[in-house]
Amino acid sequence: MKRFSVACGLIPFLFFFLLATAVAESPRRVIVDTDPGVDDAMAILLALNSPELKVEALTVVPGNVDGRQGLENALKLVSLAGRCDITVAGGAHHPLNQKLITAQFWHGKNGLAGVELPTSKCKADPRFGPDLIIELVHKYPYEVTLIPVGPLTNIALAVSKDPSIVPLVKDIVIMGGSITGGNVNGAAEANIYNDPEAAAIVFNAGWMVTMVGSDVGERTLITRKYLAELQSLHGPQSDFIAKLADFYLTRSEKSGYQGAAMYDPLAVGVAIDPTLATLKDMHVDVETKGEFTRGETVANRMGSNENNVLHGDHYEIEGSIDLKPNARVCLASDADRFLQLFISRIKGK
Ligand SMILES: [Ca+2]
């Protein structure tokens, strides 16, 4: 009898242990907002092949290619992965306050290195991307991680329409910005440059933005060595990614790089495993006006601004004003470990 009651007493503990284990191991719900895009395609297939993530939707934003081509590409990618269960929705048609700048120069005529994938078996969801984001965040409060890897137009539209989603989002991991110079020009990274007003809305929304910038992406390179690893086993996805990587590497080598920057895939990698990145809390402002610096992410590494107070005809420094961090800025990545993860997830698929 006593033994029975002891055993019964353990049942609730066992139940909670199993529940806690299940919660710890349940995949994280993510929405990838994307402008596919060679590195977007790599990022999407990494996400779809990673058991740590449950991709709730792909929402398409204009950037590397226009919205129509981007939606077609996203649908072809989920079809290639045999995942017509993934919701794919179009979004904004243009940036908030400027003309669209597309990047076929880097991504090929169709945005996917000129590789023609079969017509998609999957259908687009009729909902508007930003509305879908709002809907999913409310459906799964505190569970959804947003992974925007294109210009931030869709996210800005969602946040502007329904600011109540901000505290309900579990995390937001963006590919965008840089704290050490840009990849468009001396100052700006492409995703921020292509819609600085949207980026300013997103950075000021009230959440902590995990910022995986171009400066770190450019130190996380896929090289010929990794390409050879990818080519060693064949499958529809790995063959496709190998073709993209070859195109992307050749383009990067022509521009003087040793390998191709894994911009978007690294953001997905950090969502899978934050220990792949060295992160530091900072306050980041987006420059929307500067003559040479529009689209720059201006990161404050000190956590404060000088406090200048007017005394007669001049100002005097009177200490400093603390700034609240709004971003976890990625300073470095464990590039080899990330590349191994990427290759292992794509290889043989
Ligand atoms: Ca992208």
Side-chain angles (χ1 to χ4, degrees):
M1 190 66 186
K2 197 175 176 189
R3 188 178 293 168
F4 174 75
S5 61
V6 168
C8 284
L10 285 175
I11 286 172
F13 289 105
L14 190 63
F15 174 75
F16 283 115
F17 174 75
L18 291 173
L19 187 69
T21 310
V23 168
E25 288 178 0
S26 59
R28 186 187 291 198
R29 298 182 199 279
V30 301
I31 300 172
V32 182
D33 187 70
T34 169
D35 58 336
V38 164
D39 58 326
D40 299 75
M42 294 174 165
I44 289 166
L45 292 184
L46 173 60
L48 292 179
N49 290 302
S50 291
E52 298 87 349
L53 306 182
K54 182 173 189 307
V55 180
E56 292 291 339
L58 302 182
T59 50
V60 175
V61 69
N64 291 325
V65 290
D66 65 29
R68 186 204 57 77
Q69 179 77 62
L71 185 59
E72 184 183 321
N73 291 352
L75 287 168
K76 284 179 170 174
L77 290 165
V78 289
S79 187
L80 176 72
R83 295 294 305 276
C84 284
D85 59 305
I86 304 287
T87 304
V88 180
H93 294 293
H94 52 78
L96 297 186
N97 199 28
Q98 68 181 29
K99 282 195 164 54
L100 175 64
I101 305 163
T102 57
Q104 285 85 353
F105 176 81
W106 292 104
H107 296 266
K109 201 160 64 67
N110 64 354
L112 298 178
V115 179
E116 289 299 340
L117 286 172
T119 305
S120 180
K121 294 187 177 71
C122 315
K123 295 271 176 289
D125 189 285
R127 286 169 287 186
F128 182 52
D131 290 340
L132 178 64
I133 291 169
I134 292 169
E135 195 179 317
L136 288 171
V137 170
H138 283 291
K139 186 175 177 186
Y140 302 114
Y142 312 108
E143 289 186 32
V144 175
T145 295
L146 303 176
I147 313 179
V149 293
L152 289 161
T153 321
N154 281 344
I155 310 298
L157 288 172
V159 164
S160 301
K161 184 171 178 181
D162 183 358
S164 77
I165 64 169
V166 169
L168 300 178
V169 164
K170 183 180 171 73
D171 205 354
I172 170 167
V173 183
I174 75 159
M175 187 282 130
S178 164
I179 58 170
T180 54
N183 62 357
V184 170
N185 53 36
E189 178 280 329
N191 284 342
I192 308 297
Y193 185 75
N194 288 346
D195 199 340
E197 282 74 19
I201 290 170
V202 171
F203 274 90
N204 291 319
W207 48 23
M208 284 292 279
V209 174
T210 300
M211 179 179 127
V212 181
S214 60
D215 45 356
V216 181
E218 282 154 18
R219 285 179 269 129
T220 310
L221 302 175
I222 188 161
T223 58
R224 295 273 161 204
K225 181 189 85 164
Y226 289 114
L227 177 59
E229 262 191 67
L230 202 51
Q231 289 165 329
S232 68
L233 262 179
H234 293 285
Q237 294 182 52
S238 59
D239 288 349
F240 170 68
I241 292 292
K243 283 182 200 163
L244 293 196
D246 196 9
F247 171 93
Y248 195 32
L249 260 165
T250 305
R251 163 58 68 208
S252 301
E253 285 161 353
K254 274 184 192 159
S255 301
Y257 296 100
Q258 300 294 314
M262 295 293 272
Y263 295 126
D264 295 0
L266 183 60
V268 171
V270 172
I272 293 170
D273 178 1
T275 70
L276 288 166
T278 306
L279 301 170
K280 183 172 168 29
D281 288 1
M282 294 186 196
H283 183 86
V284 174
D285 286 310
V286 179
E287 176 60 68
T288 56
K289 295 188 176 71
E291 183 181 358
F292 303 109
T293 55
R294 180 169 153 79
E296 181 174 5
T297 45
V298 181
N300 189 306
R301 295 165 225 208
M302 306 171 295
S304 63
N305 278 344
E306 209 173 76
N307 182 26
N308 298 333
V309 179
L310 191 61
H311 285 257
D313 66 347
H314 70 288
Y315 288 89
E316 281 184 29
I317 300 167
E318 292 188 4
S320 56
I321 300 167
D322 288 342
L323 293 171
K324 197 169 170 239
N326 61 349
R328 292 184 198 100
V329 176
C330 182
L331 302 178
S333 76
D334 190 338
D336 274 334
R337 195 157 62 87
F338 167 70
L339 264 305
Q340 289 300 345
L341 173 80
F342 177 75
I343 301 291
S344 72
R345 295 289 160 89
I346 302 294
K347 209 168 156 180
K349 290 282 177 182

